[in-house]
Amino acid sequence: MIDLSTKIGPLLLKNPVMTASGTFGYASEFKDLVQLDELGAIVTKTVTPEARPGNPPRRIVELPCGMLNSIGLPNVGVDDFIKEKMPFLQTLNTSIIINVAGTSENGFVECVDRLNDVDGIAAYELNYSCPNVKQGTSFSSDPQIAERLTRRVRRTTTRPVLVKLTPNVTTIAEIGAAVENGGADGISAVNTVVGMSVNIKTRKPKLATITGGYSGPAIKPIALAKVYELTRNVSIPIIAVGGIATAEDAVEFLITGAAAVQVGTAHFYDPRASIKMITGMENYCKENGFDRISDLVGSLNL
Ligand code: RRO
């Protein structure tokens, strides 16, 4: 038996495979396709203090090497989230991580405060990095704001706090250091890369919001470089996200120093992509002489 468990600060996961926020709904949508309890963790679609309708269509564009989205954070708001989505999540035997955002710093704090009374939540992932709403990435573009907001949330909860960062900055390590100073327990890196696509017949942008967030295989090397930069400059665990679709992809990130991975865009063409990855990782460990997956983390030969 290979020990696949991994630690993200105080959070112990049975294996390093998580679902990326926004690509796995609220898990109930996948219950007939996937043994949900086998996942290391499930990260829910972002919840905000108030309900939001999201952006106007067109919201998704499929491209040769990835996907552009501008969904705009649609959700039922934290009160209805607790009533409608949490009861199913509470039946699962895996770690449930709630992705939280606000349009202001107070919004993040309010949302976490409201969720603190709810059972069955293993951690929060603060979404400082939505590229598709006004102010969405401002929380992870300015180190002072990132540190201040993380400190405020840290004081609001005893649960583990993860922060999801944008790759659309010059030096992600600066932002990583700021959230570490603010008291974050881990960093999810990275959210989507700002991108754009144009219809050459109409000469109009394909997305209603003109630009959107680019994800999928094309961004894997970008994410890997950002994870590498973070692991060299912060001490808290890094959760890798960006173009991870197979066990081999995941292993690259673990070798580079990520303590866990998230699967996102791959779920749109294979709902079982994350589950399959767990067996693939176990096989890699067996074939390469690792009894514990944690021994692989940060084993990059330089
Ligand atoms: O809902 C979205 O448009 C969205 C979010 Br919250 C996010 O964090 N990243 C993204 O690419 N899209």
Side-chain angles (χ1 to χ4, degrees):
M1 277 291 279
I2 308 292
D3 178 3
L4 289 179
S5 66
T6 189
K7 274 193 84 179
I8 316 287
L11 182 66
L12 180 67
L13 303 182
K14 59 178 111 179
N15 66 64
V17 181
M18 307 182 175
T19 63
S21 177
T23 68
F24 210 71
Y26 303 97
S28 58
E29 300 89 334
F30 288 75
K31 72 177 190 313
D32 298 329
L33 300 165
V34 174
Q35 283 289 350
L36 296 168
D37 289 349
E38 285 177 19
L39 290 163
I42 292 172
V43 187
T44 58
K45 171 69 183 162
T46 312
V47 62
T48 53
E50 310 296 337
R52 296 174 52 92
N55 289 338
R58 184 174 173 189
R59 291 172 163 191
I60 299 261
V61 180
E62 200 178 328
L63 295 169
C65 304
M67 189 180 95
L68 258 184
N69 87 82
S70 180
I71 312 294
L73 269 169
N75 76 101
V76 294
V78 69
D79 288 331
D80 284 353
F81 170 84
I82 292 168
K83 276 188 241 143
E84 295 169 17
K85 314 293 184 191
M86 276 311 299
F88 176 76
L89 292 165
Q90 282 161 339
T91 66
L92 300 176
N93 183 23
T94 179
S95 299
I96 303 300
I97 300 176
I98 311 297
N99 184 293
V100 170
T103 46
S104 66
E105 291 181 40
N106 286 344
F108 281 86
V109 174
E110 202 184 302
C111 213
V112 167
D113 195 37
R114 195 67 195 80
L115 289 161
N116 276 336
D117 296 333
V118 180
D119 289 338
I121 297 174
Y124 301 111
E125 179 177 71
L126 308 180
N127 190 354
Y128 285 7
S129 47
C130 177
N132 302 325
V133 292
K134 227 165 83 184
Q135 303 269 302
T137 56
S138 61
F139 306 105
S140 66
S141 306
D142 178 329
Q144 268 185 319
I145 296 175
E147 181 169 342
R148 182 175 67 214
L149 177 53
T150 308
R151 184 163 292 119
R152 282 191 65 192
V153 175
R154 175 72 287 159
R155 289 180 180 149
T156 308
T157 186
T158 52
R159 286 179 169 150
V161 173
L162 315 175
V163 176
K164 189 165 180 179
L165 297 185
T166 178
N168 305 303
V169 290
T170 312
T171 313
I172 200 168
E174 248 177 47
I175 315 292
V179 302
E180 180 174 24
N181 285 338
D185 296 293
I187 295 171
S188 305
V190 290
N191 208 315
T192 48
V193 177
V194 171
M196 178 172 163
S197 185
V198 172
N199 180 325
I200 59 167
K201 286 215 177 101
T202 60
R203 302 195 310 282
K204 288 184 176 196
K206 290 185 186 168
L207 286 174
T209 55
I210 306 175
T211 60
Y214 191 41
S215 61
I219 78 160
K220 194 183 97 179
I222 300 171
L224 200 53
K226 298 291 183 192
V227 166
Y228 175 71
E229 183 183 330
L230 284 165
T231 57
R232 302 277 123 183
N233 290 284
V234 301
S235 322
I236 51 176
I238 309 299
I239 302 151
V241 47
I244 302 173
T246 64
E248 289 73 21
D249 294 336
V251 166
E252 264 190 82
F253 280 90
L254 297 178
I255 291 171
T256 302
V261 297
Q262 294 182 353
V263 181
T265 305
H267 285 134
F268 290 95
Y269 60 83
D270 183 1
R272 297 182 50 75
S274 40
I275 284 287
K276 288 192 215 159
M277 195 173 283
I278 301 167
T279 320
M281 275 181 179
E282 202 169 9
N283 290 341
Y284 174 89
C285 286
K286 279 183 200 152
E287 286 157 18
N288 292 277
F290 289 96
D291 295 334
R292 289 185 301 251
I293 197 113
S294 54
D295 293 340
L296 190 61
V297 172
S299 61
L300 188 66
N301 280 322
L302 289 173

